[in-house]
Amino acid sequence: QVQLVESGGGLVQAGGSLRLSCVVTGIFARVNEMMWYRQAAGKNRERVATITTDGATFYDDSVQGRFTISRDNAKNTIYLQADSLKPDDAGVYYCYAQVMRTITWADYWGQGTQVTVSS
């Protein structure tokens, strides 16, 4: 069974930093692109950052220049370094991965990790 396990959320003051991690566990053949999403209370889930297998990165305009997504393929892990945090960055952060278990790709989500930013 493939699972995505996130960690690193918490409470931080505005202007502070957090580092989120997400590891893909279980039995699988390959992991394709991975992403971080977030969902604030009462709002839709939105994509924050994407990283491809070769390390290309893409960011939502709201976090460009403040957040950095990175990847360790050997550990099947991605990270999100979130700096200069703002109250608007608060929410539940979810990890997403496209994973090939045997011969087909499937979408997987983590359980989410809460990020709270105090002003």
Side-chain angles (χ1 to χ4, degrees):
Q1 189 76 310
V2 175
Q3 288 187 313
L4 272 59
V5 181
E6 299 126 333
S7 60
L11 171 64
V12 64
Q13 288 188 329
S17 299
L18 283 175
R19 188 181 191 228
L20 308 182
S21 301
C22 172
V23 58
V24 184
T25 65
I27 299 174
F28 53 90
R30 292 177 60 188
V31 179
N32 197 12
E33 60 182 16
M34 298 184 71
M35 303 176 188
W36 285 101
Y37 283 74
R38 68 185 178 194
Q39 186 167 18
K43 295 187 177 181
N44 294 329
R45 190 173 299 188
E46 62 178 1
R47 185 169 56 191
V48 173
T50 301
I51 188 164
T52 65
T53 52
D54 59 3
T57 58
F58 306 91
Y59 298 93
D60 184 81
D61 287 345
S62 65
V63 306
Q64 181 75 49
R66 299 186 297 119
F67 288 15
T68 303
I69 187 171
S70 60
R71 179 170 186 155
D72 185 336
N73 288 331
K75 297 180 179 180
N76 295 305
T77 299
I78 62 169
Y79 307 93
L80 185 69
Q81 178 66 39
D83 297 322
S84 301
L85 282 160
K86 306 174 181 179
D88 285 348
D89 294 319
V92 180
Y93 281 68
Y94 296 93
C95 177
Y96 160 88
Q98 191 179 48
V99 180
M100 177 184 285
R101 292 187 62 189
T102 53
I103 59 173
T104 58
W105 293 101
D107 299 329
Y108 291 88
W109 292 88
Q111 80 288 353
T113 185
Q114 179 73 47
V115 171
T116 304
V117 184
S118 63
S119 56

